[in-house]
Amino acid sequence: MSDPYAVLELAPDSDDETIRRRYLQLVREFPPERNPEKFAEIRRAYESLKDLDTRLKHRVFEAGKNESVDAILEELTCRTPRRRLSLKELFALHRKP
Amino acid sequence: MEKALAENRTQQALELAKTLHKQEPSPANKELLKRATLARSRDLAIHGYTRDAATVLQNAIHLDSQPEFLAEIAQGMANGGDLAGARKLHDQIADPSLQARVMAHIVDEALRHELLGRQHLPEALHHQFDLTLQAFVHVEKGEDEAAREKLQGIGLQSPFLEWKLFLRGLIGYYNNEDDRAIENWSRLDPNRWPFRLAAPLRFTFDQAFAQSQPVETQNVLQQQNTRLNNSNLHQHLRTIQRTILHEQQLPQAFRAAEAALPQLRNEAPQLVPRLASCFYWAIIHHGVPEDMGRYRRIFGKPVDDPELARLEALALEVRGDFADAHRFWQRFEKSVAGSRAWPEEHKAHVRALIWAHMGHNADNIPEFGDDLDSPFLPPFRLRPKSLKPGPEECFEEALKLVPDQKTTYQALIEHYLKKEKFQKAEKTARRLLQYFPQDVNALQLVGDLSMQAEKFGEALDFYQRAMSVNPLDPRIRGKVANAHSYHARGLAEGGHFDEARQEYQAALAIDDRREKYPTYCKWAACEFKAGDAAKAQELLEKAYGEKDSRLAVVFSMLIETIRFKLNKLKKQFNDEFNGLLAEPPTGATASALALTSAQHRLAGVKYHGQQTHEKKIRSYLEKAVQADFTEEQLQQICSALESLKLSNLQHTYIRLGQKQFPKNPYFFLAEAQYQFGRSRTYYYNGYQATEALRKARELNQALPRGDRQEEIAKQIQECEKIIQELNPFSSMFSNIFDSMPFDPFSEEEEFEEDEEGLF
């Protein structure tokens, strides 16, 4: 699981009520019968943050543990403005390297 | 030839077709040759040999002048780059729709050659060709509006329509308007170039499209996409991706990170701490001390762990060095106190969590004392030393900082119970109840310990409080019933018979268990003591009626009459007891006797003649091995024999259970627990323990989900911890023994053992 705050799209200083409200919102949007994987991810994120004790435990012992370079690369690819290519460059992609 | 075509051996198919046609140029063979030619050409084109494909087609032009055939040839020639040849054939085709199809491919190829391709197009298409090229130039420069204007000159019937759709989708893609891109690109013809050009771009954001492609195509598209995003930064990140998970390559990963960081800070600064986390945890899992210096140099000091004390502690834990980890956790705890990274109002809580974590670590270090070495590792003492501060001090420190931390109380209670420090466990449970008066586990624990101390009234009070929280929990209700029963006994012994009767009635009312005959027996004995023989007899009849084993009832009555010092009745029941013991044993009686005896032992009940009774029951159970048992009866007997510490006999029944009920995980779990009981002797069989546990786990997983499955799973986990403690290298040998399946019926060397299972 990546950063639970990122999964729930919340700031790190969110309180119990905010977290719970957001969790319920997301669970309605991604119910288990329609999106089992996303639901499971949201649930795990919520379990890590649902009260102060679990949030602090997560920060002390788990923060960043599930981070991966794959996820970083994916995000970078998504966030980087898409490079504009010429027609020649577009065709060149299909040439064998 | 048909077989070759079916198996995609197109070269062979073509040669065969040519031979066939040469031998006999019949119309049928000509058709075969045409088919083989087209198949070969397509095969070559798919594998990227477009020129060769075009050559094959050129050589086949003479075969037929049918428009469809010529259209295929022309298309293939156009795709192979022979635009002149394709154009020539195009002009020969009379069918307008076929002509349009061929022209579309000629147009695609012409655009690929840009200005060089223009000459091969009819003059009527030159203007649209120019518009398309100009639109591409505008899009590349970011002049999207200008591009859209150019595209307006391309009509719906134009062979450049595909390119118009492609460009409109491309504009959407560059502006991150993925819906617009998909809307346009989903209308493209998969046989034409615009679709193929869009594919690697679409692969990045259109999941449905990506997943609908065959695996090989997905790999190709991924590679094309990688080339597309092949900036320096991406290259460095890919190097990190390849190297960061390998211990030997971590320095290389650091070098790539150092190279990537300036650009990453510029382009996506929010990703820098995430990359730092990847390295932080990589060091924990497989780094070396030098990596910490590299980390500091490249990423700086982490805000909440500037001395990297936490990193060191976690890394040492991974390597099993809990003693040093303990030191670093203390260092980290001190740093939290003075750190600005943690909000003031949370510092105490964080420090408490660290102390509790240290407490758990300390608690998990087994104590070996002066006993024999583990038979697996003689004579080396590779056992970890106890940590200082120990678990109690650590948990107490945590509670000093946060006095209402329930989990810490629970951990401390568990620790005391493990060490059999029952008074301290009770004291801690009472402290927990000050903050959490409705905590059911704590209430039950204090109740259990009060029962042990024979403070039955107090135990009843705590059990009733637990029951008020969970009124339907059968275990709590059973405990309340028990406490009523024992409290009643105490009252009866003091001559308070009316109060005792009320307690017995309350016990019966609450008790949901199937068998109430023990309570009837206790009450009957109480009535005998009170002098109400008629009432006593009535209760006794109820007991006999309920229980299918007279011997079980007689045994219970015998115990009660001894305890109440009802000597005449004692003799009567004793005679009957001995008489019934001589009869052939049954499963029901054997399990009832064992259970009753064990319950008294566990409750700490002592009475005159108890040892004799236990010996007699032991002999009875030895005889009863041949009887018929239900699964539940065998389980009860195994459990009871464990409490009575008759391990040899217990093992006999465990093996019987494995044989008769091979799908019940309980008997394999019991086998493992039996082996652990021998762990201090030479005869501890670690292999059998491990294998029995493996079997138990396997069978338990097949059980339907529920309380029983969870309870057994929990016990299996605890046993696995014990195995690890007894032999830290146990997992090394599991591979060797994998090929040797557990045979519950293997002959085991039996040694003379005493009652405690020790040699």
Side-chain angles (χ1 to χ4, degrees):
Chain A
M1 179 184 63
S2 45
D3 179 22
Y5 286 104
V7 170
L8 299 181
E9 293 164 13
L10 288 170
D13 58 355
S14 305
D15 60 16
D16 290 6
E17 186 50 42
T18 309
I19 291 168
R20 181 160 174 79
R21 229 182 299 127
R22 180 66 181 148
Y23 163 68
L24 292 173
Q25 211 176 355
L26 285 172
V27 152
R28 275 194 288 273
E29 212 179 307
F30 300 99
E33 55 278 0
R34 267 197 279 136
N35 293 282
E37 278 183 26
K38 183 72 181 168
F39 172 82
E41 194 188 15
I42 293 164
R43 178 85 202 168
R44 278 194 301 268
Y46 175 67
E47 288 296 323
S48 296
L49 303 179
K50 62 183 178 187
D51 54 45
L52 180 65
D53 193 59
T54 51
R55 283 199 292 283
L56 289 176
K57 255 191 204 147
H58 177 265
R59 189 174 161 188
V60 175
F61 301 110
E62 306 276 323
K65 190 174 181 180
N66 295 316
E67 200 54 83
S68 72
V69 183
D70 298 8
I72 292 172
L73 261 168
E74 199 181 308
E75 181 149 341
L76 187 66
T77 308
C78 289
R79 283 173 179 268
T80 308
R82 289 165 174 171
R83 195 161 63 94
R84 290 182 180 243
L85 303 166
S86 65
L87 181 58
K88 195 170 176 180
E89 283 170 321
L90 284 165
F91 273 112
L93 280 180
H94 293 266
R95 234 182 279 133
K96 284 191 180 163
Chain B
M1 199 214 90
E2 290 290 354
K3 192 169 178 233
L5 272 180
E7 291 171 7
N8 216 34
R9 289 180 279 115
T10 52
Q11 169 70 11
Q12 195 180 8
L14 182 58
E15 279 160 19
L16 286 170
K18 279 181 183 168
T19 309
L20 210 55
H21 185 254
K22 198 173 174 184
Q23 282 177 1
E24 190 190 329
S26 65
N29 288 345
K30 188 155 89 167
E31 279 305 311
L32 283 175
L33 182 55
K34 276 163 60 180
R35 267 181 61 205
T37 303
L38 291 173
R40 180 64 185 152
S41 158
R42 265 183 234 122
D43 194 20
L44 286 166
I46 283 169
H47 287 94
Y49 301 108
T50 46
R51 285 192 190 282
D52 293 343
T55 307
V56 165
L57 291 170
Q58 274 159 10
N59 294 340
I61 290 175
H62 64 279
L63 281 177
D64 202 344
S65 54
Q66 291 286 329
E68 292 83 4
F69 183 65
L70 289 180
E72 286 272 1
I73 303 269
Q75 210 173 294
M77 286 166 79
N79 291 339
D82 182 3
L83 289 175
R87 178 69 201 280
K88 205 167 154 192
L89 275 180
H90 165 270
D91 293 342
Q92 288 173 28
I93 296 167
D95 187 322
S97 65
L98 289 172
Q99 268 199 330
R101 206 176 84 192
V102 171
M103 184 51 67
H105 287 269
I106 293 174
V107 154
D108 288 355
E109 236 6 74
L111 275 170
R112 194 154 81 92
H113 291 91
E114 296 190 36
L115 289 172
L116 286 175
R118 189 176 190 265
Q119 60 187 306
H120 298 290
L121 294 176
E123 217 172 296
L125 292 180
H126 284 180
H127 177 61
Q128 289 178 64
F129 180 89
D130 295 337
L131 287 175
T132 307
L133 274 188
Q134 286 160 14
F136 266 108
V137 171
H138 283 305
V139 168
E140 190 195 343
K141 287 184 188 167
E143 296 159 2
D144 296 341
E145 270 315 307
R148 284 193 189 98
E149 264 184 52
K150 295 289 178 190
L151 291 175
Q152 280 184 8
I154 293 168
L156 292 172
Q157 303 304 320
S158 165
F160 291 90
L161 180 62
E162 289 284 302
W163 290 95
K164 181 175 178 177
L165 287 172
F166 173 66
L167 277 159
R168 279 167 39 174
L170 196 62
I171 292 170
Y173 168 76
Y174 286 143
N175 289 298
N176 290 310
E177 291 165 6
D178 294 345
D179 289 343
R180 188 184 289 273
I182 293 174
E183 190 197 344
N184 282 287
W185 288 347
S186 57
R187 291 152 71 181
L188 294 172
D189 179 354
N191 295 315
R192 288 186 61 181
W193 263 112
F195 179 91
R196 289 169 62 191
L197 294 185
L201 310 179
R202 200 172 162 189
F203 185 77
T204 58
F205 61 86
D206 188 348
Q207 290 291 330
F209 172 77
Q211 281 163 15
S212 68
Q213 305 305 309
V215 173
E216 251 185 57
T217 310
Q218 285 190 34
N219 290 340
V220 169
L221 291 175
Q222 182 61 63
Q223 282 167 17
Q224 288 170 350
N225 194 260
T226 303
R227 293 212 301 276
L228 180 67
N229 291 313
N230 208 22
S231 67
N232 264 349
L233 180 54
H234 279 89
Q235 280 181 23
H236 290 312
L237 286 173
R238 280 192 204 98
T239 304
I240 297 170
Q241 188 183 36
R242 266 196 329 270
T243 53
I244 195 172
L245 295 176
H246 304 284
E247 189 182 326
Q248 315 295 341
Q249 295 177 300
L250 204 44
Q252 192 183 348
F254 272 111
R255 283 196 291 273
E258 201 165 15
L261 270 183
Q263 202 177 348
L264 191 64
R265 282 196 176 105
N266 206 21
E267 290 185 27
Q270 74 284 0
L271 295 178
V272 172
R274 289 177 61 182
L275 186 64
S277 289
C278 293
F279 278 91
Y280 189 93
W281 284 95
I283 298 171
I284 286 170
H285 287 296
H286 51 266
V288 294
E290 290 78 21
D291 291 325
M292 294 201 304
R294 291 183 186 115
Y295 180 96
R296 254 194 231 103
R297 189 169 45 84
I298 294 169
F299 295 104
K301 296 180 188 177
V303 163
D304 54 357
D305 182 22
E307 295 168 37
L308 295 180
R310 178 180 58 185
L311 185 153
E312 293 224 50
L314 287 167
L316 288 161
E317 279 183 2
V318 163
R319 287 149 187 77
D321 184 355
F322 288 93
D324 282 341
H326 218 53
R327 281 193 299 114
F328 281 99
W329 278 123
Q330 288 174 77
R331 207 183 282 185
F332 179 56
E333 186 266 336
K334 283 191 178 70
S335 79
V336 168
S339 164
R340 278 190 218 162
W342 304 89
E344 273 308 317
E345 64 272 23
H346 294 159
K347 277 186 187 172
H349 200 138
V350 172
R351 292 168 62 204
L353 286 174
I354 297 167
W355 278 111
H357 182 82
M358 287 197 281
H360 283 291
N361 282 349
D363 200 25
N364 285 333
I365 306 286
E367 286 174 12
F368 287 90
D370 296 327
D371 292 333
L372 291 174
D373 279 352
S374 165
F376 220 135
L377 295 172
F380 301 102
R381 283 194 171 267
L382 296 177
R383 298 167 194 152
K385 295 196 180 109
S386 303
L387 302 186
K388 289 199 171 17
E392 291 166 38
E393 292 95 330
C394 291
F395 288 132
E396 288 295 350
E397 280 296 328
L399 289 171
K400 260 190 228 161
L401 290 161
V402 180
D404 62 345
Q405 184 79 344
K406 193 196 244 195
T407 50
T408 309
Y409 282 114
Q410 287 167 339
L412 189 51
I413 290 167
E414 261 185 54
H415 165 76
Y416 284 136
L417 289 175
K418 215 164 57 170
K419 300 293 174 199
E420 296 185 6
K421 294 179 180 175
F422 298 116
Q423 274 190 351
K424 285 191 173 180
E426 188 189 334
K427 218 170 150 188
T428 311
R430 286 176 187 267
R431 280 165 67 192
L432 188 161
L433 286 169
Q434 281 175 359
Y435 292 98
F436 304 97
Q438 296 205 312
D439 186 271
V440 166
N441 290 334
L443 288 166
Q444 284 188 82
L445 175 66
V446 177
D448 293 344
L449 294 172
S450 299
M451 288 287 284
Q452 267 186 24
E454 297 190 13
K455 296 178 193 167
F456 302 121
E458 210 174 294
L460 183 58
D461 177 49
F462 281 97
Y463 286 147
Q464 280 174 331
R465 279 168 63 182
M467 199 170 78
S468 70
V469 177
N470 283 0
L472 300 177
D473 187 327
R475 267 185 287 195
I476 298 175
R477 292 171 73 83
K479 286 183 180 183
V480 171
N482 246 9
H484 273 302
S485 193
Y486 278 89
H487 192 210
R489 179 157 228 309
L491 290 166
E493 276 175 350
H496 307 291
F497 296 112
D498 287 335
E499 290 99 322
R501 284 180 190 110
Q502 281 174 6
E503 290 297 317
Y504 282 125
Q505 270 170 349
L508 286 169
I510 278 238
D511 198 344
D512 302 322
R513 291 170 292 192
R514 279 173 307 153
E515 294 187 336
K516 300 190 181 183
Y517 78 90
T519 311
Y520 287 134
C521 290
K522 288 181 171 70
W523 192 354
C526 167
E527 293 299 348
F528 276 125
K529 184 77 177 173
D532 190 346
K535 180 71 182 169
Q537 203 56 46
E538 184 193 319
L539 290 162
L540 203 49
E541 288 309 318
K542 275 190 178 160
Y544 286 135
E546 191 199 77
K547 186 63 188 165
D548 54 358
S549 158
R550 190 177 174 92
L551 179 51
V553 176
V554 166
F555 180 46
S556 293
M557 283 307 299
L558 174 58
I559 296 173
E560 293 306 315
T561 51
I562 293 173
R563 294 180 74 197
F564 271 121
K565 297 186 174 58
L566 299 165
N567 294 328
K568 269 194 194 149
L569 284 165
K570 179 192 102 178
K571 187 177 181 322
Q572 177 194 321
F573 283 115
N574 192 45
D575 290 343
E576 192 174 359
F577 179 60
N578 288 330
L580 289 170
L581 275 180
E583 288 178 12
T586 66
T589 309
S591 72
L593 282 184
L595 197 60
T596 306
S597 191
Q599 279 172 347
H600 282 86
R601 179 78 98 94
L602 283 173
V605 169
K606 286 183 172 42
Y607 62 89
H608 180 72
Q610 189 173 18
Q611 279 194 351
T612 309
H613 287 163
E614 286 179 0
K615 278 189 182 137
K616 286 184 179 177
I617 287 168
R618 179 180 180 162
S619 305
Y620 187 85
L621 289 171
E622 281 165 0
K623 265 193 318 187
V625 172
Q626 308 300 325
D628 292 328
F629 290 97
T630 65
E631 204 166 339
E632 194 185 341
Q633 283 165 357
L634 272 179
Q635 275 185 216
Q636 276 178 353
I637 290 180
C638 290
S639 173
L641 288 171
E642 192 191 351
S643 308
L644 293 168
K645 300 198 192 312
L646 298 172
S647 51
N648 255 358
L649 192 52
Q650 182 201 10
H651 198 218
T652 305
Y653 274 94
I654 287 171
R655 287 295 172 97
L656 190 62
Q658 288 168 1
K659 211 169 190 162
Q660 290 188 2
F661 304 101
K663 290 198 176 144
N664 187 338
Y666 172 86
F667 297 110
F668 295 92
L669 176 61
E671 172 80 40
Q673 290 166 333
Y674 163 77
Q675 291 296 340
F676 296 147
R678 293 164 22 129
S679 63
R680 293 181 180 181
T681 75
Y682 183 78
Y683 304 104
Y684 167 60
N685 191 329
Y687 163 65
Q688 274 203 332
T690 310
E691 279 305 296
L693 212 52
R694 187 190 60 78
K695 184 84 181 169
R697 199 185 318 117
E698 191 184 294
L699 292 172
N700 194 44
Q701 276 164 5
L703 288 182
R705 279 181 169 268
D707 287 344
R708 182 171 174 237
Q709 197 219 26
E710 274 179 36
E711 178 58 36
I712 294 180
K714 207 169 139 191
Q715 289 184 46
I716 290 172
Q717 269 182 353
E718 283 168 14
C719 288
E720 280 166 352
K721 261 205 257 179
I722 296 174
I723 285 187
Q724 190 59 27
E725 285 168 14
L726 288 170
N727 176 17
F729 302 113
S730 61
S731 59
M732 274 172 59
F733 294 96
S734 63
N735 286 337
I736 296 170
F737 291 126
D738 261 347
S739 59
M740 298 162 62
F742 177 65
D743 180 1
F745 312 121
S746 65
E747 290 298 316
E748 193 188 288
E749 212 177 344
E750 287 291 340
F751 292 88
E752 277 292 315
E753 291 180 7
D754 66 13
E755 208 176 80
E756 300 297 316
L758 298 173
F759 181 64

